[in-house]
């Protein structure tokens, strides 16, 4: 399984990156950060481009400080940061649960946010895909999971996005037309065909993720369903944040990943509960509502009905844990 | 006195201790030489074109464009070397490249040798193949009957049945009619594969002196040697097979494989050295892993739980080729009685070809899946009779020095000691059926051959294993043997046996890399035969050598040889230890007589087995026994469970290298847990869905239980220093122990492997909805 030759570019600033993007756009390029997902996909000849633009030398993308995670910050560095663990537990847990220590040493925040969606019919070698007939997502015109020709059902498999969503994180984007900040889940184009999955303008790049003061120190958690306790992508990822005051819900957020084409937050279920009294039944009811709302398909290891059922268990457990933690903290 | 006749093992100095692998310093520093590390001048790279169809006729094959591409040196197709081969002489149904027809998605259609991988891959894409797709056969049940276009012409009566075995000893129907208790269980097993670390890789070079050298990652250099000779039409003595270090085999490198022949053919064609290295997907497609099986077990017993009959059926999915399948079909029956005395036995087994990657031998070949069903049935029988499962097994244990109903010769067995050990160490009496709901403890038993008594390719009167020793005045001992160390520690054991007998330090002994030009034939690493057979051969060779050294020591000391004993690096008078000579003094004296000393030792299996058809299948000079207890904790809401602890009592006779034995037991438990927890060759139709180490779920270290190894075997009368095998038998008790622990935890028998959390949950649901409570639940 060979890697096709490509030309590697290493811009030293975002401005240089924009100039490169413009120049290479017609031929096609991909951004390269940790490479832990992109390069294996290239070996499988999945949507290979002739140019790779590495983000390694752009200073402002590197590292993380209080409240700001550079797009090139390594997951292993997040994992090793005790302040992050106390300030934004869900983010810390999600980063720590990605793949393996070796992968986390290379993998980055930006890379995990924009990680390619996954599917049994997509993440296969060229001969494998060729023998079946290419799929919508690479080289073909039909979906093998849900037979039709319009929409891709590959599964969003990042762990960070749901965790960042429940702490109300924002992404900072830079593009040839300037900079903007937007809530993390606004990155994802949920109305699209599943192939174009992001609201990134041409040449636009994730610079950093900003963690707001408002959620600092609040109880949050991330739980991940998978066959093995390491290595595997999520079959389901549940992030939750719960702040109680005098037994009432002050702030409540729920998000999931690993189930559908996009990560998703359930504000329509949680917003109406603000100010309401917390009870164990609320966790059960919410969990059931989330379960009803999700639509996994059969393109990962565990069957979709099981993953759907586990959504309720994981949401309920996450909320129960947080409520107990909150109760313990206020006691 | 030969090793085979010795009944009492002498006290030992090295053996029985913990001996680190002699090659370990090279492996852990990256200096060990594997096939992929070798570079030959002017070496080309080969790549294979694989079939995109599971079953199709090849109408035409056009390689002209590929041949003329830059950097391409040769393109090979099936018509060049069409001679069929296979690991068993009776089932030669494979060819190096497809001839006329492809039989699974991934079957080899053409091969290219080029300057580099990119040129080779480009050439592959330029090959035009016109296929006529044929009906795909993926269901072994359908393949039992006559089908259109059977996968092989040799299928029985126009079906896809590769092998059918029907055996009956005693009178099973009469026993069933008389039985006071009877249990019946049916189970289904997905295929699993070896997933060794080192992918298959071969380098071949044909030289102008008319010789061919092949370096390959193989477990059985000798069978490869024979297959190369047969298919290429070269005499054996002009072919040289070398086995560098091998990064794991587990049975997957025991067949001679088509790519090895293809690589050699390309070397002959180009006159250049050629390397062929698989990527991971090709490793999965080559498979030869554990067969998917559906089996059924009926056990009959009297009121006291004494087994009166086993009635067993197995439907075995073979995949595209025979491989070891005839052996598999026998083993799925004959190895089922295992540690128990079974007076009446009936077995019906069928192995059916399908258009999927071939299945073959994998660690505890043929003895794993049926053992699972038998051990669950034993648990069921104990429950039905109200007997403790350990007591039930005690009541039925095979006696030492007995003969089974199918004429297996049983010599040593410490099965009862295994049961005693796990019972007391695990706290069984306090825990069984007494742990809270969701927590459980269970027992599984094990049994396996310590080497197949039948060499596959030649008369059983010829030695299966030969060891040569050479020692010159430098005092280093060179050991030659075609034993195949594949990471299991056989080179270390070989060195240690020689050092033990000679009384010298281990560092004096050099195990020479397997090379058919100089190594005497040993039929390699499969069927857990190496410790027993090579061990005896090595011991015999070393004893012949030490006789020469003691003779020289006698000359130097003036004492008769029979008064001299072997001490550490010294030969001395038994009753006057201060009188003696060093190893080197004795050696130099001996060399005066004849030059460098040489010695040879060999092992030939004793005659055994009945006279009926298939009677040799499963015969072995010794058998290993095991009793494992596992303790599990189930999350009854998610179906996820932890195997927290395994108590593993194993009878390998006398363990010669405790470090290696413990490693084999821990590794076997890991491998068995893989099959139980989630490893699966996952197919949709003929298509393998998960040919990668990401989607093929080998357990991580976090999933490993704590393992307590209990080595309780007594010396085997014929094993070297009393030893038996410890490479495969340690696997088989694991899965049933865990399954029986799950039953104890939640009251569900899991009979569809792997047991993924969704299945656990379904089982718990089904029990609940049937209104059947368990340990306090409703």
């Amino acid at each position: 399984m060979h890697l096709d030759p490509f030309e590697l570019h290493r811009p030293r600033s975002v401005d240089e990156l924009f100039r490169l993007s413009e120049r290479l756009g017609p031929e096609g390029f991909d951004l390269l950060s940790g490479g832990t997902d992109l390069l294996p996909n290239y070996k499988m000849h999945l949507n290979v481009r002739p140019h790779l633009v590495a983000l390694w030398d752009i200073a402002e993308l590197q590292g993380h400080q209080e409240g700001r995670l550079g797009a090139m910050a390594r997951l292993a560095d997040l994992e090793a940061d005790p302040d992050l663990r106390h300030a934004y537990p869900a983010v810390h847990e999600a980063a720590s649960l990605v793949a393996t220590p070796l992968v986390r040493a290379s993998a980055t925040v930006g890379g995990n946010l924009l990680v390619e969606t996954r599917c049994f019919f997509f993440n296969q070698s060229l001969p494998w895909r060729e023998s079946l007939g290419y799929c919508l997502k690479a080289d073909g015109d039909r979906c093998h999971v849900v037979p039709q020709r319009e929409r891709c059902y590959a599964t969003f498999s990042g762990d960070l996005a749901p965790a960042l969503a429940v702490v109300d994180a924002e992404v900072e984007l830079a593009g040839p037309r300037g900079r903007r900040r937007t809530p993390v889940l606004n990155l994802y184009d949920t109305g699209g065909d599943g192939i174009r999955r992001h609201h990134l303008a041409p040449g636009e790049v994730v610079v950093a993720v900003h963690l707001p003061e408002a959620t600092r120190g609040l109880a949050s958690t991330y739980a991940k369903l998978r066959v093995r306790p390491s290595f595997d992508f999520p079959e389901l990822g549940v992030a939750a944040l719960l702040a109680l005051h005098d037994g009432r819900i002050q702030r409540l957020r729920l998000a999931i990943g690993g189930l559908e084409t996009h990560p998703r937050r359930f504000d329509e279920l949680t917003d109406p509960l603000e100010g309401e009294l917390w009870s164990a039944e609320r966790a059960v009811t919410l969990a059931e509502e989330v379960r009803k709302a999700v639509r996994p398909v059969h393109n990962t290891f565990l069957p979709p009905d099981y993953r759907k059922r586990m959504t309720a268990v994981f949401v309920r457990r996450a909320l129960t844990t947080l409520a107990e933690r909150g109760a313990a903290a206020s006691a | 006195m030969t090793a085979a006749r010795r009944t009492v093992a002498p006290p030992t100095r090295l053996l029985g201790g913990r001996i680190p692998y002699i090659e370990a310093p090279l492996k852990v520093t990256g200096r060990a030489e594997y096939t992929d590390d070798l570079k030959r001048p002017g070496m080309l790279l080969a790549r294979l074109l694989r079939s995109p169809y599971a079953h199709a006729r090849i109408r035409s094959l056009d390689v002209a464009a590929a041949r003329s591409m830059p950097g391409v040196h040769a393109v090979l197709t099936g018509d060049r070397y069409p001679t069929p081969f296979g690991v068993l002489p009776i089932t030669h149904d494979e060819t190096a490249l497809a001839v006329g027809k492809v039989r699974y998605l991934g079957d080899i259609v053409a091969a290219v040798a080029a300057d580099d991988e990119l040129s080779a891959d480009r050439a592959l894409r330029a090959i035009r193949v016109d296929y006529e797709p044929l009906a795909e056969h993926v269901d072994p049940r359908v393949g039992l009957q006559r089908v259109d276009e059977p996968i092989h012409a040799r299928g029985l009566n126009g079906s896809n049945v590769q092998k059918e075995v029907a055996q009956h000893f005693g009178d099973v129907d009469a026993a069933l009619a008389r039985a006071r208790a009877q249990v019946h269980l049916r189970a289904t097993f997905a295929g699993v594969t070896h997933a060794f670390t080192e992918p298959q890789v071969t380098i071949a070079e044909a030289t102008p002196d008319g010789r061919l050298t092949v370096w390959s990652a193989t477990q059985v250099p000798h069978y490869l040697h024979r297959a190369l000779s047969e298919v290429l039409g070269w005499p054996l003595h002009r072919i040289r097979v070398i086995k560098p270090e091998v990064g794991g085999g587990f049975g997957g490198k025991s067949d001679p494989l088509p790519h090895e022949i293809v690589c050699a053919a390309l070397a002959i064609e180009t006159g250049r050295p050629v390397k062929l290295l698989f990527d991971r997907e090709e490793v999965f497609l080559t498979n030869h892993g554990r067969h998917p099986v559906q089996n059924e077990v009926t056990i009959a017993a009297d009121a006291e739980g004494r087994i009166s009959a086993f009635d067993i059926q197995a439907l075995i999915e073979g995949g595209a080729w025979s491989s070891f399948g005839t052996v598999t079909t026998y083993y799925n029956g004959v190895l089922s009685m295992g540690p128990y005395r079974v007076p009446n036995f009936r077995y019906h087994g069928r192995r059916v070809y399908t258009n999927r990657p071939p299945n073959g031998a994998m660690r505890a070949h043929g003895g794993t899946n049926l053992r699972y069903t038998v051990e669950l049935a034993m648990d069921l029988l104990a429950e039905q009779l109200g007997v403790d499962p350990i007591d039930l097994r005690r009541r039925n244990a095979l006696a030492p020095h007995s003969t089974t109903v199918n004429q297996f010769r049983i010599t040593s067995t410490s099965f009862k000691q295994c049961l005693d050990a796990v019972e007391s160490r695990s706290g069984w009496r306090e825990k069984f059926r007494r742990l809270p709901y969701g927590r459980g403890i269970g027992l599984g038993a094990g049994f396996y051959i310590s080497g197949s008594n039948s060499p596959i390719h030649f008369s059983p009167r010829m030695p299966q294993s030969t060891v040569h020793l050479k020692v010159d005045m430098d005092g280093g001992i060179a050991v030659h043997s075609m034993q195949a160390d594949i990471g299991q520690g056989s080179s270390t054991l070989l060195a240690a046996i020689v050092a033990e007998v000679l009384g010298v330090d281990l560092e004096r002994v050099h195990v020479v890399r397997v090379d058919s030009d100089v190594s005497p034939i040993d039929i390699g690493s499969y069927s857990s035969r190496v410790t027993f057979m090579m061990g005896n051969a090595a011991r015999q060779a070393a004893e012949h050598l030490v006789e020469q050294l003691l003779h020289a020591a006698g000359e130097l000391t003036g004492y008769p040889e029979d008064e001299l004993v072997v001490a550490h690096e010294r030969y001395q008078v038994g009753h006057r230890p201060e009188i003696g000579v060093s190893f080197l003094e004795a050696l130099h004296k001996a060399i005066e007589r004849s030059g460098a000393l040489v010695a040879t030792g060999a092992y030939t299996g004793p005659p055994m087995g009945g006279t009926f058809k298939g009677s040799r299948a499963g015969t072995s000079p010794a058998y290993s026994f095991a009793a494992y207890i596992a303790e599990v904790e189930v999350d009854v809401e998610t179906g996820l469970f932890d195997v927290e602890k395994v108590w593993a009592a194993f009878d390998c006779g006398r363990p010669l290298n405790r470090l290696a034995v413990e490693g084999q037991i821990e590794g076997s438990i890991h491998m068995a847990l893989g099959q139980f927890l989630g490893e699966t060759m996952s197919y949709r139709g003929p298509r393998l869905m998960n040919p990668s180490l990401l989607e093929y779920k080998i357990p991580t270290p976090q999933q490993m239980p704590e393992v307590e190894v209990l080595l309780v075997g007594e010396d085997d009368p014929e094993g070297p220093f009393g030893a038996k095998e410890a490479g495969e038998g340690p696997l088989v008790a694991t899965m049933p122990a865990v399954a029986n622990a799950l039953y104890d935890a939640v009251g569900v028998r899991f009979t569809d492997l792997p047991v993924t959390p969704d299945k656990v949950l379904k089982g718990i649901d089904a029990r609940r909805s049937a209104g059947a409570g368990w340990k306090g639940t409703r």
Side-chain angles (χ1 to χ4, degrees):
Chain A
M1 209 176 271
H2 70 263
L3 207 51
D4 274 331
F6 54 77
E7 196 177 330
L8 182 69
H9 308 267
R10 299 180 64 162
R12 304 188 61 85
S13 69
V14 288
D15 289 329
E16 195 185 334
L17 169 66
F18 301 147
R19 289 194 294 277
L20 265 172
S21 308
E22 201 172 355
R23 179 159 72 78
L24 303 175
E27 284 184 69
F29 69 93
D30 272 317
L31 298 180
L32 177 65
S33 48
T36 56
D37 189 49
L38 186 75
L39 294 179
N41 284 354
Y42 267 38
K43 279 202 159 187
M44 293 189 160
H45 302 274
L46 289 163
N47 299 326
V48 174
R49 320 264 182 238
H51 298 276
L52 281 183
V53 179
L55 304 177
W56 311 331
D57 301 331
I58 304 176
E60 70 168 303
L61 269 50
Q62 314 298 319
H64 74 285
Q65 309 84 36
E66 198 158 301
R68 182 188 186 276
L69 313 175
M72 282 293 294
R74 310 285 168 175
L75 300 182
D77 294 336
L78 269 50
E79 186 182 7
D81 181 353
D83 292 337
L84 185 70
R85 197 173 74 214
H86 292 122
Y88 303 96
V91 178
H92 181 266
E93 287 165 18
S96 310
L97 292 174
V98 172
T100 64
L102 205 62
V103 171
R104 292 196 293 274
S106 299
T108 63
V109 168
N112 195 266
L113 282 178
L114 300 179
V115 72
E116 190 61 273
T117 52
R118 300 186 63 81
C119 176
F120 268 160
F121 294 93
F122 172 71
N123 298 96
Q124 300 285 2
S125 72
L126 183 65
W128 195 103
R129 290 181 292 117
E130 188 179 29
S131 72
L132 181 67
Y134 297 115
C135 81
L136 268 179
K137 193 167 161 62
D139 307 315
D141 62 358
R142 60 193 148 140
C143 176
H144 296 296
V145 182
V146 182
Q148 40 78 48
R149 290 167 188 273
E150 280 77 46
R151 197 177 186 289
C152 169
Y153 284 86
T155 301
F156 177 78
S157 300
D159 289 297
L160 281 186
L164 290 171
V166 297
V167 301
D168 293 343
E170 291 188 336
V171 284
E172 179 185 344
L173 304 165
R177 295 187 172 180
R179 300 206 171 210
R180 61 185 176 116
R181 272 166 73 151
T182 183
V184 66
L185 291 190
N186 282 3
L187 257 187
Y188 303 96
D189 179 0
T190 53
D193 59 5
I195 295 171
R196 184 183 154 72
R197 296 173 295 106
H198 306 119
H199 287 302
L200 287 170
E204 206 168 36
V205 60
V206 176
V207 173
V209 172
H210 296 274
L211 302 168
E213 266 313 301
T215 56
R216 165 177 287 275
L218 296 184
S220 67
T221 188
Y222 178 76
K224 179 170 179 173
L225 172 68
R226 49 183 166 175
V227 179
R228 301 179 286 188
S230 108
F231 210 131
D232 293 339
F233 282 96
E235 298 272 343
L236 160 69
V238 168
L241 176 142
L242 178 64
L244 297 176
H245 187 72
D246 289 340
R248 289 187 183 278
I249 299 166
Q250 201 172 33
R251 187 188 287 258
L252 172 59
R253 299 277 186 274
L254 272 177
I256 55 136
L259 273 191
E260 299 169 334
T261 314
H262 306 280
R264 194 168 155 192
R265 206 165 84 170
F266 294 88
D267 294 352
E268 70 281 10
L269 300 178
T270 55
D271 283 354
L273 299 181
E274 281 187 16
E276 299 284 313
L277 268 175
W278 175 257
S279 68
E281 291 75 54
R282 290 235 186 262
V284 176
T285 314
L286 257 177
E288 186 53 22
E289 285 171 343
V290 174
R291 185 190 68 80
K292 282 182 189 152
V294 297
R295 300 272 179 277
V297 296
H298 194 189
N299 62 355
T300 64
F301 186 84
L302 292 168
D305 56 342
Y306 174 74
R307 288 156 69 212
K308 194 171 163 77
R309 178 170 172 182
M310 285 307 100
T311 308
V313 176
F314 275 56
V315 168
R316 196 201 73 230
R317 285 184 176 182
L319 291 174
T320 307
T321 307
L322 293 177
E324 281 165 8
R325 236 187 256 170
S330 54
Chain B
M1 180 187 247
T2 66
R5 295 205 332 269
R6 204 183 284 268
T7 51
V8 181
T12 54
R13 181 174 52 89
L14 269 174
L15 298 174
R18 307 173 68 82
I19 314 168
Y21 288 1
I22 53 177
E23 75 282 6
L26 296 177
K27 285 185 172 167
V28 299
T29 55
R31 299 290 284 274
E33 203 167 57
Y34 294 83
T35 304
D36 187 42
D37 296 318
L38 302 171
K39 288 184 176 61
R40 302 293 303 162
M43 187 163 77
L44 304 174
L45 286 180
R47 296 285 295 154
L48 304 174
L49 182 69
R50 294 179 177 275
S51 165
Y53 291 93
H55 198 197
R57 231 184 299 284
I58 300 172
R59 281 204 204 97
S60 68
L61 194 52
D62 180 1
V63 299
R67 275 211 174 105
S68 63
M69 286 177 75
V72 173
H73 293 258
V75 181
L76 196 69
T77 54
D79 51 345
R80 180 70 184 84
Y81 292 103
T83 307
F85 72 98
V87 65
L88 304 183
I90 48 171
T91 54
H92 278 192
D93 61 4
E94 306 174 36
T95 48
L97 301 113
V99 177
K101 185 163 142 166
V102 291
R103 293 182 170 84
Y104 71 97
L105 242 158
D107 212 348
I108 303 170
V109 175
V112 170
D115 286 331
D116 52 66
E117 193 183 12
L118 204 55
S119 308
D121 279 350
R122 282 185 183 138
L124 293 182
R125 297 194 73 74
I127 296 173
R128 295 283 160 259
V129 191
D130 183 15
Y131 293 101
E132 177 193 344
L134 301 169
E136 293 167 349
H137 304 290
V138 294
D139 185 344
R141 285 167 302 185
V142 175
L144 290 172
Q145 272 84 46
R146 173 180 288 278
V147 294
D148 289 338
E149 274 297 335
I151 295 168
H152 289 274
R154 64 185 303 283
L156 298 176
N157 304 318
S159 72
N160 282 322
V161 176
Q162 179 251 320
K163 176 69 185 174
E164 178 159 17
V165 172
Q167 292 185 327
H168 193 174
F169 302 96
D171 188 340
V172 168
D173 290 322
L176 290 171
R178 276 198 318 269
R180 295 293 299 276
Q182 209 182 103
V183 291
H184 176 82
L185 209 63
R186 177 196 295 238
T188 304
F189 303 81
V192 288
T193 199
H194 324 82
F196 32 71
T197 310
E198 180 203 26
Q200 281 95 344
V201 53
T202 302
I203 294 175
E205 182 170 4
T207 40
D209 56 357
R211 302 205 75 211
L212 171 71
T213 304
V214 177
W215 296 261
S216 199
T218 176
Q219 295 178 233
V220 188
H222 181 62
Y223 293 168
L224 171 60
H225 200 182
R226 283 179 177 255
L228 288 165
S229 170
E230 283 168 26
V231 179
L232 299 172
W234 287 43
L236 283 165
H237 63 268
R238 278 173 52 207
I239 302 172
R240 178 183 182 196
V241 173
I242 297 174
K243 182 205 76 76
E245 293 292 354
V246 171
F250 310 108
K253 295 168 181 168
S254 54
D255 294 67
L257 292 169
H259 74 276
E260 295 174 301
I261 298 166
V262 169
C263 186
L266 286 168
I268 293 168
E269 200 93 348
T270 59
R272 298 263 296 264
V274 177
K275 181 203 259 187
L276 179 45
L277 167 67
F278 279 4
D279 60 39
R280 187 54 66 176
E281 181 174 11
E282 291 181 289
V283 176
F284 276 97
L285 291 175
T286 305
N287 190 25
H288 289 76
R290 195 181 312 293
H291 291 70
V293 171
Q294 302 165 46
N295 60 28
E296 279 184 62
V297 169
T298 303
I299 300 180
D302 68 13
E304 282 72 49
R306 279 185 297 265
I307 295 168
S308 55
F310 268 20
D311 197 359
I312 293 194
Q313 294 181 49
L315 179 60
I316 304 161
E317 184 188 336
W321 294 331
S322 287
S323 178
F324 280 94
T326 298
V327 177
T328 315
T329 316
Y330 280 111
Y331 277 10
N332 268 273
V334 299
L335 296 183
S336 66
M337 291 175 274
Y340 312 119
R341 191 185 153 274
V342 179
N344 299 285
F345 173 73
R346 182 163 59 196
Y347 168 60
H348 185 206
R350 285 170 293 184
R351 183 179 184 271
V352 185
Y353 290 119
T354 55
N355 290 121
R356 285 175 178 165
N359 298 299
M362 179 167 157
R363 199 181 205 173
H365 171 211
T368 300
N369 293 344
L370 72 97
R371 173 68 33 218
Y372 182 85
T373 314
V374 164
E375 293 301 316
L376 266 63
M378 288 295 281
D379 210 55
L380 195 58
L381 181 64
E383 188 179 36
Q384 195 170 313
L385 290 166
V387 179
D388 181 273
I390 296 182
D391 291 338
L392 180 70
R393 268 110 172 156
R394 276 198 189 101
R395 260 170 233 183
N396 288 290
L398 273 173
H401 303 288
S402 57
T403 304
T404 67
V405 69
N406 62 335
Q407 305 288 303
F408 285 3
R409 186 199 70 164
I410 304 298
T411 53
S412 67
T413 165
S414 302
F415 180 51
K416 285 186 176 174
Q417 291 88 323
C418 291
L419 292 169
D420 294 345
V422 288
E423 180 181 41
S424 67
R425 291 297 305 164
S426 68
W428 174 266
R429 296 280 158 191
E430 297 77 54
K431 290 176 178 170
F432 182 65
R433 295 291 191 269
R434 294 180 179 183
L435 295 169
Y437 180 67
R439 196 166 180 87
I441 189 165
L443 170 74
F447 169 82
Y448 207 66
I449 55 172
S450 188
S452 166
N453 206 51
S454 307
I456 291 174
H457 279 275
F458 44 75
S459 152
R461 286 190 294 277
M462 300 238 269
Q464 288 211 24
S465 190
T466 304
V467 171
H468 288 171
L469 305 178
K470 179 226 83 178
V471 51
D472 212 331
M473 54 187 84
D474 63 314
I477 300 133
V479 186
H480 297 275
S481 166
M482 222 182 276
Q483 61 81 27
D485 196 311
I486 53 174
Q488 86 279 38
S490 61
S491 289
T492 303
L493 186 65
L494 180 54
I497 288 174
V498 171
E500 178 77 48
V501 174
L502 296 181
V504 301
D505 286 332
L506 191 59
E507 55 156 41
R508 284 194 185 277
V509 186
H510 317 303
V511 177
V512 180
R513 181 173 69 166
V514 171
D515 177 341
S516 63
D517 274 4
V518 293
S519 312
I521 288 169
D522 174 295
I523 56 175
S525 291
Y526 71 99
S527 82
S528 278
R529 53 174 296 285
V530 182
T531 291
F532 199 99
M533 298 184 179
M534 174 212 75
N536 273 322
R539 180 178 184 177
Q540 193 186 66
E543 282 173 348
H544 290 157
L545 196 61
V546 85
E547 277 166 24
Q548 300 176 58
L549 292 165
L550 289 170
H551 182 80
E555 287 180 329
L556 288 170
T557 57
Y559 279 80
E561 267 172 73
D562 57 9
E563 289 183 25
L564 295 171
V565 295
V566 177
H568 178 219
E569 291 268 331
R570 184 178 156 84
Y571 307 111
Q572 63 200 26
V573 180
H575 53 92
R576 293 192 61 189
E578 70 281 9
I579 298 175
V581 297
S582 71
F583 162 72
L584 280 179
E585 288 167 328
L587 172 66
H588 292 159
K589 182 69 186 166
I591 285 174
E592 285 176 15
R593 185 192 309 272
S594 58
L597 308 189
V598 292
T600 183
Y603 177 83
T604 307
M608 58 174 61
T611 51
F612 54 91
K613 185 170 191 274
S615 59
R616 278 177 12 189
T619 58
S620 174
Y623 297 89
S624 67
F625 295 83
Y628 286 12
I629 284 176
E631 190 164 339
V632 303
E633 173 85 36
V634 184
D635 179 338
V636 296
E637 222 179 3
T638 62
L640 293 159
F641 58 94
D642 279 329
V643 181
E644 294 187 352
K645 172 115 192 200
V646 173
W647 292 267
F650 193 71
D651 166 20
C652 60
R654 175 186 294 211
L656 298 185
N657 182 355
R658 283 180 181 270
L659 200 58
V661 171
E662 288 169 10
Q664 287 294 321
I665 290 174
E666 288 164 7
S668 291
I669 289 170
H670 176 261
M671 191 166 240
L673 282 179
Q675 180 177 357
F676 194 79
L677 296 172
E679 286 186 38
T680 171
M681 293 290 276
S682 170
Y683 292 99
R684 291 199 192 171
R687 185 175 306 275
L688 184 62
M689 297 301 289
N690 58 340
S692 75
L693 292 179
L694 179 59
E695 296 302 338
Y696 184 84
K697 307 292 186 187
I698 300 173
T700 68
Q702 299 119 303
Q703 291 166 279
M704 262 309 273
E706 183 189 341
V707 174
E708 187 172 327
V709 173
L710 304 159
L711 300 177
V712 297
E714 292 169 0
D715 285 350
D716 183 83
E718 295 177 17
F721 301 88
K724 302 189 282 190
E725 73 95 20
E728 302 188 77
L731 186 139
V732 299
T734 314
M735 295 203 300
V738 173
N740 288 334
L742 284 176
Y743 183 77
D744 187 43
V746 296
V748 181
R749 300 242 175 245
F750 294 100
T751 53
D752 178 15
L753 268 64
V755 183
T756 47
D758 53 303
K759 291 181 190 170
V760 174
L761 216 46
K762 272 189 186 144
I764 291 171
D765 283 351
R767 188 174 178 104
R768 277 199 189 125
S769 64
W774 185 252
K775 294 204 296 193
T777 66
R778 276 179 296 133

